[in-house]
């Protein structure tokens, strides 16, 4: 079956612009997670959804970051007024109840 | 707070050698889960194993084996008879389980290079 997909695979933007990153989880997975991976580091948790609601957004670095999952499936991570420090690979993962997470290929965001 | 430490930043061995990747964790939870993920050059994280804190049995899957020791808070990963295709960055991770979801805390990763 299809795995987790993320679009775009690469995004280059200018400082101060707004970006949206999309994640399509595995069908039927109720939990969806966003992580951010900087070069040479392990992924860092940002937010996760259980169904449509954000169950834990404690990892979002500041209020420029926001994520939604309006119908309990696809999720969008939104970043306002991007900064060079936001450059990283943004990873999405999904899981069924109580089970391991499966990751997508990531979106590489570069802020110039 | 939860923390995972992978002290080995990079390891390089010759094909067919055995290699062990170390992972030490910190948590105040009595129930928790430990994971290993592989990140090949393509970049996508591949799930390898999950263990819960109540199950200290070692596990073997083909050339891979895992040694979980609660007494030393370690969850080490051994690859036997390594192959070039094992070259990747390996991450150890820790989580609790709340409402059916697991928020992963990752280590810094160990870059493993298998030379032919």
């Amino acid at each position: 079956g299809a795995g987790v997909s993320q679009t775009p695979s690469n995004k280059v933007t200018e400082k101060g612009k707004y970006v949206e990153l999309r994640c399509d989880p595995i069908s039927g997975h109720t939990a969806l997670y966003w992580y951010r991976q900087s070069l040479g580091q392990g992924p860092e948790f940002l937010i996760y959804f259980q169904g449509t609601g954000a169950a834990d957004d404690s990892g979002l670095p500041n209020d420029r970051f926001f994520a939604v999952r309006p119908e309990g499936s696809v999720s969008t991570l939104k970043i306002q007024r991007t900064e060079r420090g936001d450059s990283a690979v943004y990873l999405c993962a999904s899981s069924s109840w109580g089970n391991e997470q499966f990751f997508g290929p990531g979106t590489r965001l570069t802020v110039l | 707070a939860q923390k995972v430490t992978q002290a080995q930043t990079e390891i390089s061995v010759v094909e067919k050698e055995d290699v062990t990747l170390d992972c030490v964790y910190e948590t105040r939870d009595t129930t928790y889960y430990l994971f290993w993920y592989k990140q090949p050059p393509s970049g996508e994280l591949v799930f390898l194993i999950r263990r819960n804190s109540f199950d200290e049995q070692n596990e073997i899957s083909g050339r891979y084996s895992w040694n979980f020791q609660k007494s030393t808070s370690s969850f080490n990963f051994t690859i036997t008879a390594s192959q070039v295709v094992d070259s990747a960055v390996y991450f150890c991770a820790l989580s609790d389980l709340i409402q059916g979801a697991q928020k992963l805390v990752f280590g810094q990763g160990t870059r493993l290079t298998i030379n032919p």
Side-chain angles (χ1 to χ4, degrees), chain A residues 83-105:
Chain A
E83 299 177 357
R84 292 196 180 89
D86 298 335
S87 296
V89 176
Y90 289 81
L91 297 167
C92 177
S94 70
S95 71
S96 55
W97 186 272
N99 290 316
E100 65 272 15
Q101 296 173 36
F102 293 90
F103 282 80

Side-chain angles (χ1 to χ4, degrees), chain B residues 98-114:
Chain B
I98 297 177
Q99 296 180 346
Q102 298 174 308
K103 185 170 80 174
L104 295 173
V105 174
F106 285 86
Q108 297 281 71
T110 297
R111 180 176 298 279
L112 176 63
T113 301
I114 311 297

Side-chain angles (χ1 to χ4, degrees), chain A residues 33 37 41 50 56 98 101, chain B residues 37 50 99-100 102 108:
Chain A
Y33 310 77
Q37 186 175 21
Q41 304 293 316
Q50 192 64 271
D56 185 338
Q101 296 173 36
Chain B
Y37 280 86
R50 180 179 80 163
Q99 296 180 346
Q102 298 174 308
Q108 297 281 71

Side-chain angles (χ1 to χ4, degrees), chain B:
Chain B
Q2 296 180 326
K3 184 179 178 182
V4 175
T5 302
Q6 295 179 254
Q8 304 150 308
T9 305
E10 294 192 32
I11 298 175
S12 181
V13 300
V14 176
E15 198 172 19
K16 297 183 184 175
E17 286 186 20
D18 298 348
V19 58
T20 295
L21 310 182
D22 297 334
C23 173
V24 174
Y25 63 92
E26 296 175 30
T27 181
R28 292 180 184 162
D29 295 328
T30 53
T31 302
Y32 52 89
Y33 293 81
L34 295 162
F35 302 78
W36 278 94
Y37 280 86
K38 174 182 180 179
Q39 190 171 45
S42 62
E44 193 158 337
L45 281 162
V46 177
F47 169 79
L48 296 178
I49 189 171
R50 180 179 80 163
R51 305 294 285 177
N52 74 52
S53 52
F54 295 111
D55 184 0
E56 287 192 70
Q57 277 193 332
N58 292 331
E59 181 153 341
I60 299 175
S61 176
R63 296 183 297 106
Y64 295 172
S65 63
W66 291 269
N67 184 336
F68 176 26
Q69 293 199 351
K70 238 173 160 176
S71 60
T72 56
S73 297
S74 65
F75 186 46
N76 297 337
F77 172 31
T78 297
I79 301 175
T80 304
S82 60
Q83 299 177 2
V84 172
V85 293
D86 295 328
S87 296
V89 180
Y90 290 85
F91 291 98
C92 181
L94 168 69
S95 82
D96 50 19
L97 180 65
I98 297 177
Q99 296 180 346
Q102 298 174 308
K103 185 170 80 174
L104 295 173
V105 174
F106 285 86
Q108 297 281 71
T110 297
R111 180 176 298 279
L112 176 63
T113 301
I114 311 297
N115 299 297

